[in-house]
Amino acid sequence: MSEGKRLKTTRNIGIIAHIDAGKTTVTERILYYTGKSHKMGEVHDGEAVMDWMEQEQERGITITSAVTTCRWRGNEINLIDTPGHVDFTIEVERSLRVLDGAIGVFCAVGGVEPQSETVWHQADKYQIPKIAFINKMDRLGADFLGAVNQMREKLGARPLIVQMPMGAEADFAGVIDLLEMQAVCWDDSTLGLTYEYMPIPPEYVEDAQAKRVELLESLAELDDTIMEKYLADEILEQKDLLPAIRQATLNLKVVPVLCGSALKNKGIQLLLDAIVDCLPSPLDVAAVVGLHPKSGEEEIRSSSGQDPFAALAFKIQMDQGRRLTYVRVYSGTVTAGSAVYNVNRKQKEKVARIFQMHANKRQKRARVGAGEIVAMVGLKSTTTGDTICDPKHPIVLEHIEVYEPVISIAMEPRTRADEEKTLQSLEKLAVEDPTFHFHQDPDTGQTIISGMGELHLDILVNRLLREYSVQVNVGKPQVVYRETITAAVEAESTFDREIAGVLHYAQVELHLEPRPRGKGNLFRELVRDGSVPSSFIPAVEEGVMESLGSGVIAGYPMVDVEVAVIGGTLKEQTASELAFKVAAATALQEGCRKAQPQLLEPIMSVEIIVPEEFTGEVINDLNIRKGKIEGVHPKRSVKIIHATVALSLMFGYSTSLRSASQGRATFTMQFSHFDTLVEKKELYI
């Protein structure tokens, strides 16, 4: 196959959704119907191929993104099944960074749920074309149009309904294809493997015709050819409509909406058709843009074997002691055994082996080209977000955004023999997961591990035991706080010391002032009299930024602080970068003490779905937790409560919510922002 044809028939897509929307079940059906697997794995039985980790099988949730490749209609589909739980958002972020298209799976009952919004906006950030699959049409309370309307209201999307369901709940019988204007039914006796097109049942004809008119009107607005034929009352067939739908999807103008029930084996083959027909190939995506590491000039790499090799490492996985590096190849080719250059680490690496992955199973590859997603063995220094490329043509691609942890626990090995093993194991886990941090507390000797939530840390501790045979004692969860300042001040410090027989001298003056919440730290150079030479400004900045990593109240990182160097003094013979760096760090600490420092804590955005009769008890419990009610919205027989609550007051909330609602309410929680401490607490330092 020629390279052009291979690229044209390649799809790099991800499945994104809220937890329990049915992503993994959809993926399992895709693997079955494409012939990649010969048995349907069920999430509830712990047998899903893509949920291969023990913890995933036991808990029935996806924890780590899994990559696989399958074929449909002569096209190769590289598919990533991503987690839906907020604690594992980094898995979605780094997957979307390297994908060309996405399938948003929505529960027909729950509609657009909180994590659905998060992952959808992550995809928007990377300008990824999407199609939507309204799943679970067989469930009690399924509401196809309700879910579509929520896409408009909550996601700001423009849904393009290309299918509508025949019935709902227990009466769900199949779908109506609005492009072909025919009904599609699946054969239950073959587990949905066979299906047939047939005339639309009379009771659905009127509704289908109305939806078809809406579809044509939407496309006519976007495509002049469709507009001319529509106004001339010409018959528009699928072959006329598909190119227009594809182009509008690629241009992010519309989101084609399909429906079905993955668990009942209905709708998946048509979803596969939509992946091929509507989502982009690597050739449809703009050439990737990076920077030359030395000149800083813009470099462009197109999806072609003719351009120099460039790839982005987006995931590290430790597998049976070996380090697997997952990469998306953007341009060029690379063979097993060849040398590549890691621009971020400024190191040459060797690609020992290349594997095509199917969840945790591997298939050896001798060579890999543009547009492919594979795993490599041998890249010892490469980590998440690093660019690897042709040593003769270096390029730095856009890095992957990493989230800061919001919760910590103290842990210590049960035996002395486990001490060294524990640190080695934690280092391996930290390499895999950039949102997991750990450090040793110098006062207590305990190891503090930090992550995105209680579930995240629980699974990491569980992995220590199962994968690395490390026994640890774990303390209660502790919130990761931040510090800031609330007043503008000026501060100065002098460093005058002899080190190893060499005198070092510098005096630095800084101006500190608070920034708006969430704006981050900023360093500025405002020296007007030349008292601090420009050659020493980088050392001052380094000292300031390092010092901001540890606040003056409890040692937590400082945020939302603007620091400007406004002056200083030096002595010709004794001025040094070390002296300016230390003087700047000391001045910053002194300034923070005078600037009315304040602790900030993580505030969580909480959404609770509760039966109407328990709404009062749930709101009362939130008030006790000093939560701020943002809104209460009715949805049929339930109320949806939106609130913001301090994370420190949400520990054990699932138990309280079950008690207040007789186990009938559910909630989701995700990080919103850092804000002033709600109340004084005993802090873990």
Side-chain angles (χ1 to χ4, degrees), residues 603-605 644 670-674:
I603 306 298
M604 310 304 284
S605 176
T644 52
Q670 58 188 347
F671 173 74
S672 173
H673 62 282
F674 280 98

Side-chain angles (χ1 to χ4, degrees), residues 235-271:
I235 295 173
L236 286 158
E237 298 179 1
Q238 184 180 27
K239 61 182 175 59
D240 302 309
L241 301 176
L242 265 181
I245 293 172
R246 177 179 178 79
Q247 198 54 53
T249 306
L250 298 186
N251 293 340
L252 307 178
K253 300 285 188 185
V254 299
V255 178
V257 179
L258 299 87
C259 60
S261 168
L263 190 63
K264 299 295 184 183
N265 310 315
K266 292 177 171 63
I268 302 303
Q269 290 95 334
L270 301 190
L271 175 62

Side-chain angles (χ1 to χ4, degrees), residues 316-606:
I316 309 296
Q317 180 183 318
M318 305 304 292
D319 184 28
Q320 298 172 356
R322 291 196 183 100
R323 182 175 173 137
L324 282 177
T325 305
Y326 287 77
V327 302
R328 158 72 191 261
V329 182
Y330 283 100
S331 63
T333 60
V334 66
T335 55
S338 60
V340 295
Y341 181 58
N342 183 326
V343 186
N344 303 79
R345 310 290 156 194
K346 299 182 173 60
Q347 290 181 15
K348 278 196 175 181
E349 299 254 49
K350 185 177 181 181
V351 179
R353 287 188 295 282
I354 302 172
F355 294 108
Q356 192 80 53
M357 298 301 294
H358 176 48
N360 61 334
K361 297 180 176 62
R362 321 169 180 180
Q363 178 187 342
K364 216 175 231 187
R365 295 278 303 272
R367 179 176 177 275
V368 63
E372 297 194 77
I373 294 175
V374 294
M376 296 179 175
V377 173
L379 306 178
K380 295 177 181 176
S381 303
T382 302
T383 190
T384 300
D386 285 357
T387 303
I388 56 171
C389 58
D390 183 335
K392 294 179 183 175
H393 300 89
I395 182 174
V396 183
L397 301 177
E398 182 189 355
H399 205 268
I400 294 172
E401 182 181 335
V402 175
Y403 300 92
E404 287 296 315
V406 297
I407 189 169
S408 297
I409 56 174
M411 53 169 268
E412 53 191 20
R414 289 188 185 171
T415 65
R416 284 207 172 276
D418 277 334
E419 278 188 25
E420 190 174 338
K421 198 175 177 183
T422 301
L423 289 175
Q424 290 172 349
S425 304
L426 289 173
E427 283 170 3
K428 290 176 181 176
L429 290 174
V431 164
E432 287 188 51
D433 185 351
T435 60
F436 168 60
H437 297 177
F438 72 93
H439 70 275
Q440 279 198 302
D441 189 305
D443 297 325
T444 64
Q446 291 177 313
T447 300
I448 312 300
I449 62 173
S450 306
M452 300 303 294
E454 290 180 87
L455 178 62
H456 186 203
L457 295 181
D458 182 35
I459 284 168
L460 287 166
V461 170
N462 193 267
R463 288 185 64 191
L464 277 177
L465 175 62
R466 294 193 182 190
E467 296 175 29
Y468 300 102
S469 302
V470 174
Q471 301 272 356
V472 294
N473 294 319
V474 178
K476 289 182 179 179
Q478 302 286 342
V479 175
V480 177
Y481 294 91
R482 293 288 185 269
E483 297 184 24
T484 192
I485 60 173
T486 57
V489 298
E490 291 186 2
E492 64 88 24
S493 179
T494 303
F495 183 81
D496 186 4
R497 192 171 301 173
E498 184 178 317
I499 301 173
V502 179
L503 284 169
H504 295 268
Y505 177 87
Q507 187 251 348
V508 172
E509 295 174 25
L510 301 177
H511 174 83
L512 283 67
E513 62 182 67
R515 300 192 77 201
R517 197 69 66 241
K519 290 295 184 182
N521 295 326
L522 177 68
F523 176 83
R524 300 172 66 199
E525 188 266 306
L526 295 178
V527 180
R528 297 289 176 262
D529 57 4
S531 56
V532 180
S534 58
S535 59
F536 289 117
I537 295 298
V540 173
E541 182 176 5
E542 188 179 349
V544 165
M545 289 306 181
E546 282 186 14
S547 192
L548 284 170
S550 180
V552 296
I553 300 175
Y556 293 108
M558 303 284 296
V559 295
D560 304 333
V561 179
E562 181 176 315
V563 184
V565 53
I566 55 175
T569 57
L570 77 162
K571 297 176 181 177
E572 287 294 335
Q573 304 302 318
T574 57
S576 68
E577 289 186 356
L578 172 66
F580 275 99
K581 179 180 174 181
V582 176
T586 310
L588 181 90
Q589 292 285 307
E590 183 61 34
C592 287
R593 289 189 188 92
K594 296 192 298 183
Q596 299 171 26
Q598 189 178 62
L599 273 172
L600 303 175
E601 63 180 335
I603 306 298
M604 310 304 284
S605 176
V606 183

Side-chain angles (χ1 to χ4, degrees), residues 3-15:
E3 185 193 47
K5 187 175 181 184
R6 178 185 67 78
L7 285 166
K8 191 175 181 180
T9 56
T10 296
R11 301 288 184 273
N12 293 314
I13 63 161
I15 298 188

Side-chain angles (χ1 to χ4, degrees), residues 129-395:
K130 297 172 284 290
I131 57 179
F133 182 71
I134 311 294
N135 191 27
K136 302 190 179 184
M137 282 305 307
D138 60 306
R139 282 267 308 274
L140 185 66
D143 182 0
F144 174 73
L145 291 179
V148 172
N149 288 332
Q150 284 189 39
M151 287 178 62
R152 288 192 188 94
E153 294 163 9
K154 294 187 176 182
L155 304 177
R158 183 177 181 180
L160 186 73
I161 298 174
V162 296
Q163 288 174 11
M164 58 176 277
M166 279 197 297
E169 302 178 343
D171 298 326
F172 177 61
V175 305
I176 295 170
D177 185 339
L178 297 175
L179 303 183
E180 295 275 13
M181 281 306 279
Q182 283 192 296
V184 188
C185 293
W186 280 261
D187 185 349
D188 292 335
S189 66
T190 63
L191 295 176
L193 201 58
T194 57
Y195 59 101
E196 61 177 324
Y197 282 81
M198 57 183 65
I200 300 170
E203 64 268 32
Y204 295 111
V205 169
E206 187 179 340
D207 200 12
Q209 287 174 340
K211 287 285 178 287
R212 165 85 172 186
V213 169
E214 286 179 21
L215 170 67
L216 295 179
E217 287 177 348
S218 296
L219 287 174
E221 287 179 32
L222 300 166
D223 188 280
D224 291 342
T225 305
I226 303 285
M227 172 73 83
E228 289 170 11
K229 290 187 176 183
Y230 180 65
L231 293 176
D233 286 334
E234 291 185 34
I235 295 173
L236 286 158
E237 298 179 1
Q238 184 180 27
K239 61 182 175 59
D240 302 309
L241 301 176
L242 265 181
I245 293 172
R246 177 179 178 79
Q247 198 54 53
T249 306
L250 298 186
N251 293 340
L252 307 178
K253 300 285 188 185
V254 299
V255 178
V257 179
L258 299 87
C259 60
S261 168
L263 190 63
K264 299 295 184 183
N265 310 315
K266 292 177 171 63
I268 302 303
Q269 290 95 334
L270 301 190
L271 175 62
L272 280 161
D273 286 339
I275 290 170
V276 171
D277 293 334
C278 299
L279 291 180
S281 74
L283 294 176
D284 296 314
V285 179
V288 68
V289 178
L291 299 174
H292 192 284
K294 290 184 179 175
S295 67
E297 292 181 5
E298 206 172 77
E299 296 269 335
I300 297 174
R301 298 284 187 273
S302 59
S303 293
S304 161
Q306 308 306 311
D307 278 20
F309 169 68
L312 186 74
F314 68 94
K315 178 179 169 71
I316 309 296
Q317 180 183 318
M318 305 304 292
D319 184 28
Q320 298 172 356
R322 291 196 183 100
R323 182 175 173 137
L324 282 177
T325 305
Y326 287 77
V327 302
R328 158 72 191 261
V329 182
Y330 283 100
S331 63
T333 60
V334 66
T335 55
S338 60
V340 295
Y341 181 58
N342 183 326
V343 186
N344 303 79
R345 310 290 156 194
K346 299 182 173 60
Q347 290 181 15
K348 278 196 175 181
E349 299 254 49
K350 185 177 181 181
V351 179
R353 287 188 295 282
I354 302 172
F355 294 108
Q356 192 80 53
M357 298 301 294
H358 176 48
N360 61 334
K361 297 180 176 62
R362 321 169 180 180
Q363 178 187 342
K364 216 175 231 187
R365 295 278 303 272
R367 179 176 177 275
V368 63
E372 297 194 77
I373 294 175
V374 294
M376 296 179 175
V377 173
L379 306 178
K380 295 177 181 176
S381 303
T382 302
T383 190
T384 300
D386 285 357
T387 303
I388 56 171
C389 58
D390 183 335
K392 294 179 183 175
H393 300 89
I395 182 174

Side-chain angles (χ1 to χ4, degrees), residues 609-628:
I609 301 174
V610 57
E612 200 164 340
E613 61 266 34
F614 301 111
T615 306
E617 289 90 333
V618 171
I619 289 177
N620 186 49
D621 184 61
L622 287 171
N623 288 332
I624 291 170
R625 295 171 188 271
K626 296 183 169 54
K628 182 181 177 185

